[in-house]
């Protein structure tokens, strides 16, 4: 399930950076006290930011900076609620900011870049971030939005340079977490963990601590350390027992340890509170594993509805479409979506999805080149290794297939409730 998760990581990081900037700019010393333990602290922070901006705009309706801050806060609100209608609100606020200040309006372009990243329009996000950089060349958040876009466009060297510039300007949580993701994509898990630990140590707020705990947990989970992953998720949940991302981590731990009932109970609550495509998809897959095929089908139907809402709000996510179609046994849709996404950007995640869709369509000779490209960065990604192993098996390259499948299970024996058992079965057959 980590294929889908990685995209969310970037949107979350961008949102955290923008929210911190917005909250600082709007603070007048008389804001409500920070949310106590047990409250949804991230949601509380962003709602407070929105309220402060709206109050100021009632007094100063032509304030371009506050319109930009409001728009950026709406981008974050869309992420934490799973409600894509906030994209339109964000667009409107940011466009209003540009109407009041058409030239050198770095905050508005910064917000538009974050919005474009959230909508998965990474080329537009890059262009907006570059406009923001022209106006704000020494602002760290600009390079965060730029790095996110460049990363997803497959421009790894340029993205790394943007992250380094961010670190030089402001070595805080947003910079360290992006550095961690860069290290992870290159296969340097130890360096990624150290960067996330530095981010946690530098966390100035409960929301930042939650963010770091979640990603430390994800890094541990993706590399097969369930105990460490669980510890990180639970430490975050001590700060906020309602945090959706950390509860999703708890559910994954339960599923990996064989407690499907507990995992499904958590997911049932999650998809009610935050009906994001990621949670709906993971819930549907787990329901299928539990044999609840009708419930799984209903979740997939809800997922399709949510994706239509996202599309209506200007979001395009052909990668997610391909992955879901592959999971539902629809290789034609999976391949068409993966090809469209590959024409937009050449990220390893897209290379992997295209390789798998080609395999499902029986075109393994074409698939292996994309699978090799996904693996070329050194990323210790169990899903990549599993897909590559199954493609190699289909091509009759038995020894290489066994190595790849063994690598997938060594990296993370619990990487997927469906694919991990399939990897074990295939490996046993090869041996």
């Amino acid at each position: 399930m980590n294929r889908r998760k990685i995209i969310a990581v970037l949107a979350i990081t961008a949102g955290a950076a923008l929210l911190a900037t917005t909250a600082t700019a709007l603070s007048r010393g008389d804001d409500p006290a920070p949310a106590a333990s047990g409250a949804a602290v991230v949601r509380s922070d962003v709602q407070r930011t929105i309220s402060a901006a709206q109050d100021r705009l009632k007094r100063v309706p032509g304030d371009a900076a506050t319109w930009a801050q409001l728009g950026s806060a709406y981008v974050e609100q869309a992420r934490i609620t799973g409600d894509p209608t906030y994209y339109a609100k964000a667009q409107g606020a940011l466009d209003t900011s540009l109407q009041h200040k058409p030239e050198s309006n770095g905050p508005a372009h910064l917000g538009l870049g974050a919005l474009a990243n959230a909508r998965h329009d990474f080329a537009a996000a890059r262009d907006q971030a570059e406009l923001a950089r022209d106006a704000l060349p020494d602002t760290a958040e600009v390079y965060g939005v730029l790095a996110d876009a460049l990363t997803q466009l497959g421009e790894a060297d340029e993205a790394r340079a943007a992250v380094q510039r961010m670190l030089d300007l402001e070595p805080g949580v947003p910079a360290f977490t992006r550095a961690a993701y860069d290290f992870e994509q290159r296969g340097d898990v130890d360096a990624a963990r150290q960067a996330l630990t530095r981010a946690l140590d530098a966390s100035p707020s409960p929301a930042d601590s939650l963010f770091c705990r979640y990603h430390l947990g994800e890094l541990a989970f993706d590399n097969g350390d369930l105990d460490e992953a669980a510890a990180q998720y639970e430490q975050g949940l001590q700060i906020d027992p309602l945090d959706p991302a950390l509860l999703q981590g708890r559910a994954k731990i339960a599923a990996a340890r064989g407690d499907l009932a507990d995992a499904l109970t958590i997911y049932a609550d999650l998809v009610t509170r935050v009906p994001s495509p990621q949670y709906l998809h993971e819930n549907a897959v787990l329901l299928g594993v539990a044999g609840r095929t009708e419930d799984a089908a209903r979740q997939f139907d809800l997922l399709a509805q949510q994706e239509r809402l996202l599309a209506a709000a200007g979001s395009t996510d052909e990668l997610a479409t391909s992955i879901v179609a592959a999971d539902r046994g629809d290789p034609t849709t999976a391949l068409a979506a993966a090809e469209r996404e590959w024409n937009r950007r050449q990220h390893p995640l897209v290379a992997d999805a295209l390789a798998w869709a080609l395999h499902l369509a029986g075109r393994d000779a074409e698939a292996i080149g994309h699978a090799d490209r996904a693996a070329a960065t050194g990323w210790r990604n169990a899903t990549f290794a599993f897909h590559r192993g199954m493609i190699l098996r289909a091509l009759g390259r038995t020894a290489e297939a066994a190595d790849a499948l063994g690598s997938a299970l060594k990296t993370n024996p619990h990487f997927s409730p469906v694919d991990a058992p399939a990897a074990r079965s295939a490996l046993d057959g090869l041996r």
Side-chain angles (χ1 to χ4, degrees):
M1 288 187 283
N2 61 355
R3 294 169 291 170
R4 185 70 179 84
K5 177 263 296 182
I6 294 297
I7 297 176
V9 170
L10 295 180
I12 290 168
T13 310
L18 285 166
L19 177 59
T21 302
T22 304
T24 300
L26 288 173
S27 176
R28 296 291 182 268
D30 56 353
D31 288 340
S37 178
V41 294
V42 178
R43 186 178 302 220
S44 178
D45 285 348
V46 73
Q47 188 56 56
R48 193 161 53 242
T49 299
I50 289 171
S51 295
Q54 290 172 335
D55 288 345
R56 176 164 175 76
L57 288 170
K58 290 176 184 176
R59 302 190 304 270
V60 191
D63 187 343
T66 302
W67 278 111
Q69 291 158 358
L70 179 61
S72 295
Y74 281 142
V75 176
E76 176 69 353
Q77 186 81 326
R79 179 191 70 79
I80 63 177
T81 62
D83 184 352
T85 62
Y86 282 104
Y87 291 158
K89 294 181 179 181
Q91 185 79 56
L94 294 163
D95 287 346
T96 301
S97 177
L98 284 173
Q99 289 170 10
H100 289 295
K101 186 181 179 183
E103 303 296 330
S104 299
N105 191 340
H109 290 298
L110 178 60
L112 286 167
L115 176 59
N117 273 331
R119 286 170 160 169
H120 299 157
D121 187 349
F122 300 112
R126 175 199 57 206
D127 294 344
Q128 290 293 336
E130 289 174 346
L131 289 170
R133 182 180 57 188
D134 292 341
L136 302 169
D138 297 322
T139 299
E141 291 81 8
V142 168
Y143 296 92
V145 174
L146 180 60
D148 292 348
L150 292 169
T151 296
Q152 291 303 311
L153 288 168
E155 300 175 19
D157 292 341
E158 294 85 349
R160 191 168 304 129
V163 172
Q164 184 59 59
R165 178 61 173 154
M166 194 179 188
L167 284 164
D168 293 341
L169 288 168
E170 191 175 326
V173 173
F176 286 133
T177 50
R178 284 179 173 85
Y181 184 52
D182 178 62
F183 284 128
E184 185 181 4
Q185 289 183 103
R186 288 185 277 157
D188 194 341
V189 175
D190 288 340
R193 186 181 301 108
Q194 291 171 15
L196 286 171
T197 301
R198 291 189 68 181
L200 179 62
D201 292 342
S203 295
S205 70
D208 286 313
S209 296
L210 292 174
F211 177 77
C212 295
R213 290 292 184 192
Y214 173 70
H215 288 292
L216 280 164
E218 289 293 276
L219 186 66
F221 184 91
D222 290 344
N223 287 278
D225 190 343
L226 292 187
D227 291 341
E228 174 62 17
Q232 293 293 344
Y233 297 142
E234 294 305 321
Q235 287 180 75
L237 286 166
Q238 288 178 15
I239 300 172
D240 182 5
L242 300 177
D243 183 80
L246 291 162
L247 287 171
Q248 179 250 14
R250 178 185 278 175
K252 288 197 303 183
I253 295 294
R257 289 175 171 166
D259 192 346
L260 289 184
D262 187 30
L264 287 169
T265 297
I266 298 169
Y267 271 115
D269 174 65
L270 272 181
V271 298
T272 299
R273 292 196 296 119
V274 186
S276 73
Q278 178 188 356
Y279 299 157
L280 289 165
H281 184 195
E282 292 174 357
N283 189 36
V285 170
L286 209 56
L287 285 165
V289 172
R292 295 167 54 181
T293 54
E294 291 184 3
D295 290 337
R298 280 192 288 270
Q299 285 297 294
F300 276 120
D301 288 343
L302 289 172
L303 172 58
Q305 292 174 25
Q306 188 71 352
E307 289 181 334
R308 286 193 291 271
L309 288 174
L310 286 165
S315 178
T316 301
D317 194 350
E318 298 282 14
L319 175 58
T321 299
S322 178
I323 292 170
V324 171
D327 285 348
R328 300 199 74 178
D330 182 357
T332 301
T333 299
L335 180 56
E339 288 177 332
R340 288 193 297 269
E341 191 71 3
W342 185 250
N343 289 332
R344 297 173 62 222
R345 59 193 184 99
Q346 283 77 54
H347 187 272
L349 287 165
V350 186
D352 170 70
L354 180 54
W356 190 238
L358 285 164
H359 166 73
L360 295 176
R363 294 162 58 179
D364 292 291
E366 298 171 70
I368 190 60
H370 292 288
D372 287 344
R373 182 160 178 171
T377 64
W379 195 344
R380 293 183 57 187
N381 186 305
T383 297
F384 289 4
F386 167 69
H387 288 164
R388 185 169 178 272
M390 297 298 279
I391 294 165
L392 288 165
R393 186 183 72 155
L395 291 169
R397 294 163 59 177
T398 305
E400 293 171 275
D403 285 345
L405 292 169
S407 176
L409 293 169
K410 182 179 179 181
T411 298
N412 182 8
H414 313 285
F415 70 93
S416 163
V418 174
D419 294 341
R424 292 187 189 91
S425 178
L427 188 57
D428 289 343
L430 291 171
R431 287 173 173 168

